[in-house]
Amino acid sequence: MGGSQLLSPPPKLLGFILFLLWLQEFYKLENVLLHSFALVNQQNEEKENTFMLAASPNSAPQPFLPLLAPSPMGTPFFHNSTPKLSGRCTLNFTSVDSLMSTTAVDCWTSFAPFLANVICCPQFQATLTILIGQSSKETGMLALGSTHSKYCLSDIQQILGSQGASSDLQEICSIHSSNLTRGSCPVYDINGFESVVDSSKLLSACRKVDPVTECCSQICQNAVLEAANKLALRNGELMASFSISNSLIEHSSKIDSCRSIVLRWLSSRLNTASAKLFLRRLSNCNVNRVCQLDFPDTKAVAENCGNMIKNNTTCCHSMENYVSHLQKQSFITNLQALSCATLLGLKLQEMNVSTNIYSLCQITLKDFSLQVGTQESGCLLPSLPSDVTFDPSSGFSFTCDLNDNIAAPWPSASQISSSSCNKSVNFPALPAATSSQFGLIAADMMLRVVFSLLLLLVILL
């Protein structure tokens, strides 16, 4: 009897064993993706093999294939610890639960450095602004004191960290406790603010920020700047000594501080979702305006591609080697890629590279973004604000412009002072492949996944 039972395992157990065998083959298939993060390790060895990406960049967008995610026993998974709060911060965290959860996912510990500029830090900054703005409804103050701000920033980091966000968030985003104070702005209470600023005009300009036209029309941005100027000059100091450089620097610092006060006031007049939307859309104008990549020395490329190119193969090999260093840095938007391509092209032209080596070497805009694996699979994030999403069954994902496989344009002299408002390369306002996403999963979760599977086995038996 005993031998017969051993030869005939229970149907549930047999099904589960077959599932494990299938899972093993699945991981063999995805093995190339895990190896691809040797690129990431060169930048951050302490976080090797922390996540992997999957995409189908050489064809039309395919339906999202979810990678294995841990059992939904926590949200986000396995990072649901109790934060150690100071008890001295009066900000109302429970009123922005959903916002905090979004920020934790956007700044997930494994990939926060690679999404910092485009997604994580803009979301983190928006969260801080909204927290203070919402609390001003009860306190009447649009800034925290210096001591209070230290406790609150620490508590915010604790809450986000308990939900899986990076513990280095303040360093990654260059956020300090002073960013939560009034800085050098002379007006930081609601009554004082509304006695100086035309609040109805400001709210009208910023209540609904157009995600496509705002960066060029600057309707809300100009209204915010006008209000910040009024606050900065509240004490009647019209800066008679404008010609003195120190006075200009001081005034500029005051404008920046007052701009933060203005954004907090606006956040207090909108619900959390609307406030997040308008803040992210404003910050996105700055994100898309600047190339965030660090360019290594272009001497080797100039030597092989400068003047009259003697050997196309040698030139392109040098160019591809150079671009490979850019591909280890971070994810960027499609408009950032355009700016980066222009900036690098101008640098090369200054070193007597006159040939369009982008065309010669088939360099595309996606080549300027973080790469996955050995095949062409760069991800250009959409130019509009976006978030990372988490689903218990499929893990982490975010949207890429997979159809924006555009050749990098070789710059002309007229592009030196051009802005994104008059670029000749057309981008869709929304990503052409909005349904295509990259599934992400932290590799260091593998053992915990196995544990979950074993737990399931016990339940089945």
Side-chain angles (χ1 to χ4, degrees):
M1 288 291 286
S4 175
Q5 290 179 347
L6 288 175
L7 292 175
S8 303
K12 290 184 178 180
L13 176 59
L14 180 59
F16 190 77
I17 292 173
L18 291 174
F19 172 73
L20 288 180
L21 290 174
W22 171 86
L23 187 61
Q24 182 182 28
E25 293 303 313
F26 180 80
Y27 273 111
K28 288 179 181 178
L29 179 64
E30 296 296 328
N31 191 46
V32 63
L33 297 177
L34 289 173
H35 286 304
S36 70
F37 276 84
L39 294 176
V40 175
N41 298 340
Q42 296 176 21
Q43 180 179 359
N44 192 348
E45 294 179 354
E46 294 181 357
K47 294 183 178 179
E48 62 181 356
N49 293 332
T50 51
F51 68 103
M52 65 181 176
L53 302 167
S56 178
N58 295 321
S59 60
Q62 300 298 315
F64 171 51
L65 175 64
L67 300 183
L68 179 67
S71 174
M73 293 189 291
T75 304
F77 55 71
F78 300 115
H79 276 273
N80 210 13
S81 58
T82 302
K84 298 178 180 178
L85 304 183
S86 66
R88 300 186 180 185
C89 177
T90 60
L91 295 179
N92 187 357
F93 298 117
T94 56
S95 66
V96 291
D97 273 345
S98 177
L99 180 69
M100 297 288 279
S101 296
T102 299
T103 306
V105 173
D106 282 348
C107 299
W108 185 258
T109 180
S110 300
F111 47 81
F114 310 105
L115 293 172
N117 173 254
V118 181
I119 295 180
C120 171
C121 295
Q123 176 65 19
F124 184 35
Q125 182 62 65
T127 300
L128 297 177
T129 300
I130 293 171
L131 270 169
I132 299 175
Q134 291 295 316
S135 72
S136 70
K137 296 177 181 180
E138 299 177 1
T139 65
M141 306 301 289
L142 294 164
L144 305 181
S146 57
T147 301
H148 191 199
S149 67
K150 293 177 182 178
Y151 289 121
C152 288
L153 186 57
S154 175
D155 285 357
I156 293 168
Q157 176 69 75
Q158 283 287 323
I159 294 172
L160 294 176
S162 71
Q163 297 181 32
S166 172
S167 59
D168 301 324
L169 209 48
Q170 294 178 46
E171 291 74 18
I172 291 172
C173 299
S174 298
I175 296 293
H176 309 284
S177 60
S178 58
N179 296 123
L180 280 64
T181 68
R182 71 181 183 93
S184 56
C185 188
V187 180
Y188 56 97
D189 64 289
I190 290 181
N191 290 335
F193 181 97
E194 295 179 350
S195 68
V196 174
V197 175
D198 186 342
S199 55
S200 61
K201 177 183 176 182
L202 175 62
L203 192 57
S204 175
C206 295
R207 184 185 296 277
K208 293 183 180 180
V209 175
D210 191 299
V212 178
T213 64
E214 172 61 30
C215 296
C216 295
S217 65
Q218 300 186 351
I219 294 174
C220 177
Q221 294 173 83
N222 288 336
V224 169
L225 182 60
E226 179 184 352
N229 268 295
K230 288 183 178 180
L231 296 179
L233 300 177
R234 177 66 177 87
N235 295 333
E237 41 192 83
L238 200 53
M239 308 294 290
S241 56
F242 250 161
S243 60
I244 302 177
S245 59
N246 287 340
S247 296
L248 286 173
I249 294 173
E250 180 182 351
H251 185 66
S252 176
S253 175
K254 190 173 292 186
I255 292 294
D256 288 341
S257 296
C258 290
R259 182 178 181 276
S260 296
I261 298 296
V262 175
L263 295 180
R264 292 169 192 168
W265 181 86
L266 282 166
S267 297
S268 73
R269 291 299 180 267
L270 302 171
N271 60 49
T272 300
S274 298
K276 181 229 172 181
L277 203 60
F278 113 83
L279 289 171
R280 288 292 303 276
R281 287 176 177 177
L282 285 191
S283 66
N284 216 55
C285 294
N286 294 327
V287 168
N288 286 317
R289 191 175 294 138
V290 181
C291 172
Q292 296 293 329
L293 300 181
D294 293 324
F295 291 101
D297 191 349
T298 56
K299 182 178 179 181
V301 178
E303 288 177 350
N304 293 304
C305 303
N307 299 317
M308 296 296 293
I309 300 176
K310 298 178 181 179
N311 187 313
N312 289 352
T313 301
T314 303
C315 169
C316 288
H317 177 74
S318 178
M319 184 61 188
E320 289 164 2
N321 182 61
Y322 183 89
V323 171
S324 70
H325 291 286
L326 304 180
Q327 294 170 349
K328 302 171 188 177
Q329 295 186 28
S330 65
F331 291 108
I332 59 177
T333 69
N334 48 27
L335 287 178
Q336 280 183 313
L338 189 61
S339 296
C340 292
T342 299
L343 183 57
L344 177 57
L346 293 173
K347 285 179 177 290
L348 292 172
Q349 288 176 4
E350 291 175 358
M351 300 186 72
N352 298 319
V353 178
S354 56
T355 302
N356 181 354
I357 58 175
Y358 289 166
S359 177
L360 177 67
C361 304
Q362 297 183 323
I363 302 298
T364 69
L365 290 179
K366 288 198 295 186
D367 288 325
F368 288 85
S369 184
L370 190 71
Q371 301 290 300
V372 184
T374 57
Q375 299 179 350
E376 177 195 354
S377 50
C379 166
L380 290 180
L381 297 176
S383 56
L384 300 183
S386 60
D387 292 300
V388 179
T389 59
F390 170 77
D391 183 83
S393 62
S394 59
F396 294 93
S397 60
F398 54 87
T399 304
C400 293
D401 280 351
L402 296 182
N403 284 352
D404 283 349
N405 196 15
I406 301 174
W410 188 248
S412 62
S414 62
Q415 287 181 277
I416 296 178
S417 59
S418 66
S419 70
S420 60
C421 292
N422 52 20
K423 298 291 187 187
S424 59
V425 177
N426 293 321
F427 287 98
L430 291 171
T434 53
S435 63
S436 283
Q437 297 173 306
F438 285 130
L440 302 178
I441 181 169
D444 60 2
M445 295 295 179
M446 293 299 184
L447 290 177
R448 296 178 185 179
V449 177
V450 173
F451 174 78
S452 297
L453 292 174
L454 291 176
L455 181 60
L456 179 58
L457 175 60
V458 172
I459 294 173
L460 290 174
L461 293 176

